[in-house]
Amino acid sequence: MANMNSDSRHLGTSEVDHERDPGPMNIQFEPSDLRSKRPFCIEPTNIVNVNHVIQRVSDHASAMNKRIHYYSRLTTPADKALIAPDHVVPAPEECYVYSPLGSAYKLQSYTEGYGKNTSLVTIFMIWNTMMGTSILSIPWGIKQAGFTTGMCVIILMGLLTLYCCYRVVKSRTMMFSLDTTTWEYPDVCRHYFGSFGQWSSLLFSLVSLIGAMIVYWVLMSNFLFNTGKFIFNFIHHINDTDTILSTNNSNPVICPSAGSGGHPDNSSMIFYANDTGAQQFEKWWDKSRTVPFYLVGLLLPLLNFKSPSFFSKFNILGTVSVLYLIFLVTFKAVRLGFHLEFHWFIPTEFFVPEIRFQFPQLTGVLTLAFFIHNCIITLLKNNKKQENNVRDLCIAYMLVTLTYLYIGVLVFASFPSPPLSKDCIEQNFLDNFPSSDTLSFIARIFLLFQMMTVYPLLGYLARVQLLGHIFGDIYPRYSGAACGLAFVFIYPSLIYIISLHQEERLTWPKLIFHVFIIILGVANLIVQFFM
Amino acid sequence: MEESDSEKTTEKENLGPRMDPPLGEPEGSLGWVLPNTAMKKKVLLMGKSGSGKTSMRSIIFANYIARDTRRLGATIDVEHSHVRFLGNLVLNLWDCGGQDTFMENYFTSQRDNIFRNVEVLIYVFDVESRELEKDMHYYQSCLEAILQNSPDAKIFCLVHKMDLVQEDQRDLIFKEREEDLRRLSRPLECSCFRTSIWDETLYKAWSSIVYQLIPNVQQLEMNLRNFAEIIEADEVLLFERATFLCKEQRDAHRFEKISNIIKQFKLSCSKLAASFQSMEVRNSNFAAFIDIFTSNTYVMVVMSDPSIPSAATLINIRNARKHFEKLERVDGPKQCLLMR
């Protein structure tokens, strides 16, 4: 298992720096920690389960290993005199960490500037991470805000969150006296706000996580329900779009909430007098009563996998899903054509006004849609050319905004308004397609698989579904806005103000501008509860 | 020597927490008496402050460094290490140079005391030093003192911390330094070595030094070869007792590694107030015995015939011991005089 290619030479006239602080001792083997955690080689005799093929360790590496072992016995742990300097030990890329269970993995080097990702990869990763399930709610958000307002709000929110993200990225550079290479944003918050900052930022992160889990669960139940229904109807050749308000052509679009006064469709409104089989099916395949529990059965085996990293291989499903959605939307738009009418303030039977006062609902959705602030530092760390970080961030945000705009505008514009009102657009726009529609069925399948591979915990899901019943409206504009409040608006601005104040560079315009951002964030959250 | 699935057994003697067990002299002439430095022969380890002497000593002699080696000031007094090696030699550490005028006076007044009875002078140069002129100046004043007080002493120069030099430049830089030092040392002769604690060169250098001090080394080797043939051993090696330095230069990696393993084991033993006496390593392919041999040495016997019982080999070693002790004693009680 030891795979030392240490016959390579160790060059370099590095200065042996005894003053360097070993840094926080954590498990992730940060390079600042590495010096005191060497030696680097465990001989086969110390590993519990040795494979039959014992790989050779080179003489050089073996001798160095013994030397380091011996020298470490000669001094106290606090004394750094006999710790091996970097140039005599193999580079971090040649080091392996062994688990007693026999597996080995390579060390990641976290040093600044050691990232291997080109700009393109970094931009793609940021885009991929930001593209979440909020994309399904953008058309609804535009509907709530009005078309023109919606577009403006999307662009403005994009810019605002971009600026705050920029603040997050730059927050570490304002501290010159400390070594911040290993810091994530909660560490920065801790530095400025003490432990309150650390815990509150973690709490807000958790809130967004729980919110995301709720969304995932709901969407998965939804997709599973529709998939099941599609398969059932396909097998039994039932066409159930007749009784629901829908368009009468080959591209059916339905309005599920037409008859039920605004609540999403929980059960199908179909009843078949003579078909007890279908009734049985309806009884056992209910969107909110039974399907979520079937979902438990589906997810439980997945959670018994030995290594959760298995699922990271399915990351590509996320990208594929989004691309497919784009294709789907384009296709439908081409088939359905554009139906836009511009009424500025007065709602009509089929259209919504251009400017509506429910636009905060859109901002609520967008705060979650543009949220990446808790991991942007880590994502940008691996950028090969660190000086291009800001540029890449801006490009990524631009791409994300364009994607959201594209999908939102197309769905909104192509929604067939003469028969159906724009008000019918659902919070999840796939709900507007009947379960018999093949293309959307495929989209649901993709998304279902993708979410299943992403779904981490199962623990509080039954409880979450309960909450969904209690609160009714389960789409977490609240959690998005709540954590968005802290991470996106308040913390970056506040930290910037404080650091400027410490350096005595705080000017009135900057102060006013950032306080305004904080007020916007607070307002965003409060207003969610009034809509 | 592979150590895969082998058992190690040791015999312990409870002699107290010392690194260096008292010498097994059967006649027990001196016992364990605090050496009077005025009479004992010395090995002087000198060099500028921060050149690596304390680390070097600690590594070679398996001494625990009890304090931070980054001292704020130079050593005021000579460090007596009480390490007896090669019989009656005592290692003295002294910081040379870099002191203020007070220290200079002290140095000059104590000079005769320091440089009398010196067997060996080991002078350590830091290869990264920026004050070459000053280094050479101090070196030369040491040499003058040696010439006055102990003209028979052997001089060794170690160009240390070579790992900080780029690999392709090491030979060049070392050759330059060696030429300079040779030139400066005339009429005395000095041997130069390049060393670093991060490879086997330190071990090699010290081995060369120490083995020049063992009397009758040629005769010892011939007898060892005979001994090996008689007991049907694959390999018989001698290690110096306190430092486990070995004369064999060919496979320095291997012997440095063995030496490090045993010294680490010695340190572990001493933590239990035991001292290391002997070790047997056995597996299906070979058996190796490390045992006290003469007053200055340990022996390592490697047998590739595992059917020969340990007891037989140990008896052989014990019997051979008497013979080799006599060989070492050729020159009488003061056994570490150099053969000229």
Side-chain angles (χ1 to χ4, degrees), chain A residues 460-475:
Chain A
Y460 24 97
L461 297 179
R463 213 186 330 142
V464 156
Q465 192 67 14
L466 190 61
L467 289 178
H469 268 288
I470 292 175
F471 284 122
D473 190 349
I474 39 196
Y475 279 79

Side-chain angles (χ1 to χ4, degrees), chain A residues 69-124:
Chain A
H69 262 128
Y70 168 54
Y71 292 178
S72 67
R73 302 297 300 275
L74 293 171
T75 62
T76 60
D79 190 357
K80 299 174 207 143
L82 289 179
I83 292 187
D86 290 331
H87 59 278
V88 302
V89 178
E93 295 87 58
E94 294 167 27
C95 286
Y96 290 80
V97 176
Y98 291 88
S99 136
L101 302 171
S103 54
Y105 66 96
K106 266 197 171 186
L107 285 177
Q108 298 270 347
S109 59
Y110 287 101
T111 323
E112 205 96 307
Y114 271 23
K116 290 169 282 188
N117 294 339
T118 56
S119 280
L120 213 57
V121 173
T122 309
I123 292 174
F124 172 73

Side-chain angles (χ1 to χ4, degrees), chain A residues 385-405:
Chain A
K385 293 200 192 141
Q386 292 286 305
E387 60 271 12
N388 288 338
N389 272 352
V390 176
R391 184 199 73 175
D392 294 343
L393 183 65
C394 292
I395 295 178
Y397 257 85
M398 199 177 68
L399 285 177
V400 169
T401 316
L402 280 176
T403 317
Y404 284 151
L405 268 180

Side-chain angles (χ1 to χ4, degrees), chain A residues 9-16 18-19 43 45 54 56 59-60 62-64 66-77 79-85 87-88, chain B residues 2-5 55 58-65 67-70 130 163-168 170 197-200 202 253 256-257 260-261 263-264 267-268 271:
Chain A
R9 307 170 306 159
H10 309 297
L11 299 177
T13 50
S14 56
E15 309 217 328
V16 181
H18 290 294
E19 314 281 7
E43 311 235 18
T45 48
I54 297 179
R56 294 298 318 253
D59 286 340
H60 178 94
S62 174
M64 179 60 87
K66 271 290 163 263
R67 202 175 290 135
I68 292 179
H69 262 128
Y70 168 54
Y71 292 178
S72 67
R73 302 297 300 275
L74 293 171
T75 62
T76 60
D79 190 357
K80 299 174 207 143
L82 289 179
I83 292 187
H87 59 278
V88 302
Chain B
E2 298 301 317
E3 296 158 27
S4 40
D5 46 86
S55 302
S58 156
I59 288 168
I60 296 284
F61 291 92
N63 280 343
Y64 186 71
I65 306 182
R67 55 185 170 78
D68 195 355
T69 54
R70 287 178 303 146
R130 308 247 180 252
D163 57 284
L164 295 173
V165 177
Q166 270 188 318
E167 205 163 321
D168 46 4
R170 282 178 198 171
I197 61 175
W198 296 110
D199 54 28
E200 75 287 354
L202 183 68
H253 270 130
E256 190 227 356
K257 196 175 161 190
N260 287 342
I261 292 173
K263 282 189 276 195
Q264 192 178 343
L267 285 173
S268 304
K271 287 208 169 133

